[in-house]
Amino acid sequence: LQVDLWQPSSPIHIVEGAVADVRVPQNTTRSLLPFLQQANIQYTILISDLQQAIENQTAGRSHRSRRSLPGYNYEVYHSLEEIEDWMHYLNRTYSDLVHMFSLGKSYEGRPLYVLKLGKRSRPYKKAVWIDCGIHAREWIGPAFCQWFVKEALQTYQTDPDMRKMLTQLYFYIMPVFNVDGYHFSWTNDRFWRKTRSKNMRFHCHGVDANRNWKVKWCDEGASLHPCDDTYCGPFPESEPEVKAVAHFLRKHRKQIKAYLSFHAYAQMLLYPYSYKYATIPNFNCVESAAYNAVNALQSAYGVRYRYGPASSTLYVSSGSSMDWAYKNGIPYAFAFELRDTGHFGFLLPEMLIKPTCTETMLAVKNITLHLLKKCH
């Protein structure tokens, strides 16, 4: 639970024994600490100067060093404009393996770009959908999507597993799902989560794009209040971004066999259901895929991921993209919660991009190869 102590959008209830991350204005820190001590509330200062940590990620490097496309730096976070330039560059440079297209427009009119990655070896191939950045502030997600594409293109000739994956499958990769929110997290509010659609009645912006899907919409784990971070929206698929992706997935549901969505943070690999405590019909296949994936991930740096149904492993939430994908006939649906477990949270330092992406790559390859083995 993250709380902005100085501007809560609605009443905050923190149950006894729970852990809460609290962002506190610098000028109130001195008065807050004695209060916490007096109230016998245990606390740990995780980031002493949050503003400085934010500025370290968004400033201090020339545009040129970040955007030089042949030498694109995958170990820094990139703005939306930089990511889109990178996508255009790959589309021009790797036309045999990459095809870029747009699913439509965001609320603020930005294109919703997707990269189709794979060898055009035969007319029909099964496919894997990968999206990142459904929540704007989770910057490690888009960083991983870019890393995945880089690894695929660089190792296609030398890695038999990657060659098999790109020969037998297509990958639809959406590096930034929530383009408006992601842009806003760079320019206005680093901790912005939602889309940027307007609610005239409450003068609040945005909907949680991972509560806006038509599967048990706006039930437990979602909010009806437009100012809340988990606001489900006025109706399912109210957000043009969600509507566009849902339309594409519905259209290609016979082809797409796996749905992978990348979030942060918690170090978990989740599968359906999110909205209820129940066992999915193909539990054995999905469970074994998750087990093998987290073991592969751990082999890189010893980082342990918890895995299991989202409802019991993380929390109950309704209207999620993963549940929707599974309910719409995509048999392998997973949501990754990448590093870390709370110390840096959404402000994962850039020095951790490479190890996070390297270990996650092992998990994704493992899931993909598991899919090709046709576990039933």
Side-chain angles (χ1 to χ4, degrees):
L1 173 61
Q2 278 213 329
V3 179
D4 286 332
L5 209 60
W6 69 94
Q7 49 174 202
S9 58
S10 59
I12 297 158
H13 303 284
I14 302 171
V15 297
E16 190 174 345
V19 176
D21 294 342
V22 183
R23 300 200 296 266
V24 184
Q26 213 161 19
N27 58 5
T28 65
T29 308
R30 281 183 182 173
S31 58
L32 178 68
L33 297 188
F35 164 76
L36 293 174
Q37 289 162 352
Q38 196 176 347
N40 202 25
I41 296 172
Q42 293 182 323
Y43 67 89
T44 305
I45 297 172
L46 297 176
I47 302 173
S48 57
D49 191 335
L50 192 62
Q51 186 59 37
Q52 188 60 54
I54 292 168
E55 288 168 11
N56 289 346
Q57 289 187 353
T58 55
R61 287 182 299 268
S62 71
H63 241 31
R64 190 178 183 85
S65 68
R66 294 164 69 96
R67 296 180 65 182
S68 169
L69 290 166
Y72 193 80
N73 189 352
Y74 292 89
E75 295 181 41
V76 300
Y77 294 116
H78 289 277
S79 68
L80 181 65
E81 183 188 6
E82 290 162 5
I83 294 170
E84 288 180 345
D85 286 350
W86 167 81
M87 293 173 83
H88 283 290
Y89 171 78
L90 294 185
N91 193 47
R92 291 192 305 271
T93 313
Y94 297 93
S95 55
D96 56 329
L97 285 172
V98 175
H99 170 62
M100 177 181 174
F101 62 97
S102 172
L103 297 178
K105 293 278 178 74
S106 70
Y107 179 84
E108 293 180 341
R110 293 182 175 88
L112 302 170
Y113 287 130
V114 173
L115 293 176
K116 182 181 181 183
L117 184 64
K119 197 76 182 162
R120 297 185 188 102
S121 48
R122 51 182 181 267
Y124 177 85
K125 292 201 295 182
K126 291 176 182 176
V128 173
W129 171 275
I130 296 175
D131 65 52
C132 299
I134 200 166
H135 291 141
R137 61 197 178 190
E138 299 168 9
W139 287 9
I140 188 61
F144 173 73
C145 264
Q146 294 170 86
W147 189 277
F148 178 88
V149 175
K150 174 210 44 132
E151 283 292 301
L153 296 176
Q154 287 181 355
T155 65
Y156 170 69
Q157 298 290 355
T158 55
D159 178 0
D161 284 342
M162 186 58 74
R163 178 178 282 276
K164 183 179 180 182
M165 285 160 59
L166 294 188
T167 303
Q168 296 190 24
L169 296 164
Y170 282 124
F171 290 84
Y172 294 106
I173 298 151
M174 192 175 196
V176 187
F177 184 116
N178 178 7
V179 287
D180 296 348
Y182 186 73
H183 177 74
F184 191 77
S185 74
W186 273 79
T187 57
N188 290 74
D189 179 355
R190 175 62 183 84
F191 293 97
W192 188 257
R193 170 182 166 100
K194 300 188 284 182
T195 62
R196 290 296 298 162
S197 53
K198 289 176 186 168
N199 185 292
M200 297 305 180
R201 188 177 159 210
F202 287 91
H203 303 290
C204 292
H205 284 266
V207 165
D208 185 340
N210 204 36
R211 301 290 185 278
N212 192 231
W213 298 72
K214 197 173 183 179
V215 52
K216 211 71 176 175
W217 175 78
C218 221
D219 207 310
E220 189 176 347
S223 172
L224 279 163
H225 197 291
C227 298
D228 286 346
D229 262 355
T230 55
Y231 175 46
C232 57
F235 53 88
E237 296 181 27
S238 62
E239 304 311 282
E241 301 86 352
V242 173
K243 190 179 179 70
V245 174
H247 175 73
F248 180 84
L249 293 175
R250 270 193 293 264
K251 192 175 170 185
H252 295 85
R253 77 172 104 198
K254 288 184 180 174
Q255 178 193 19
I256 296 172
K257 299 301 176 185
Y259 172 91
L260 307 179
S261 190
F262 290 84
H263 298 252
Y265 56 91
Q267 293 176 193
M268 293 178 179
L269 176 54
L270 308 170
Y271 52 81
Y273 299 103
S274 288
Y275 72 89
K276 65 178 178 179
Y277 300 106
T279 303
I280 53 176
N282 63 336
F283 170 80
N284 288 342
C285 284
V286 171
E287 170 82 359
S288 65
Y291 171 79
N292 291 330
V294 297
N295 282 343
L297 186 149
Q298 190 178 342
S299 71
Y301 302 99
V303 173
R304 287 179 175 274
Y305 269 49
R306 290 172 59 201
Y307 68 96
S311 54
S312 54
T313 310
L314 185 57
Y315 48 63
V316 173
S317 64
S318 54
S320 74
S321 64
M322 179 183 70
D323 278 353
W324 183 93
Y326 186 77
K327 284 282 197 177
N328 278 266
I330 299 175
Y332 288 85
F334 292 100
F336 280 80
E337 293 283 352
L338 301 179
R339 292 200 198 184
D340 57 6
T341 54
H343 184 95
F344 295 109
F346 303 119
L347 287 180
L348 194 73
E350 289 180 326
M351 66 179 183
L352 294 178
I353 292 175
K354 182 178 180 179
T356 301
C357 291
T358 300
E359 67 194 11
T360 307
M361 194 74 200
L362 295 175
V364 172
K365 284 175 74 174
N366 203 281
I367 288 172
T368 305
L369 294 169
H370 186 96
L371 166 73
L372 288 172
K373 286 176 190 164
K374 299 189 177 73
C375 170
H376 293 293

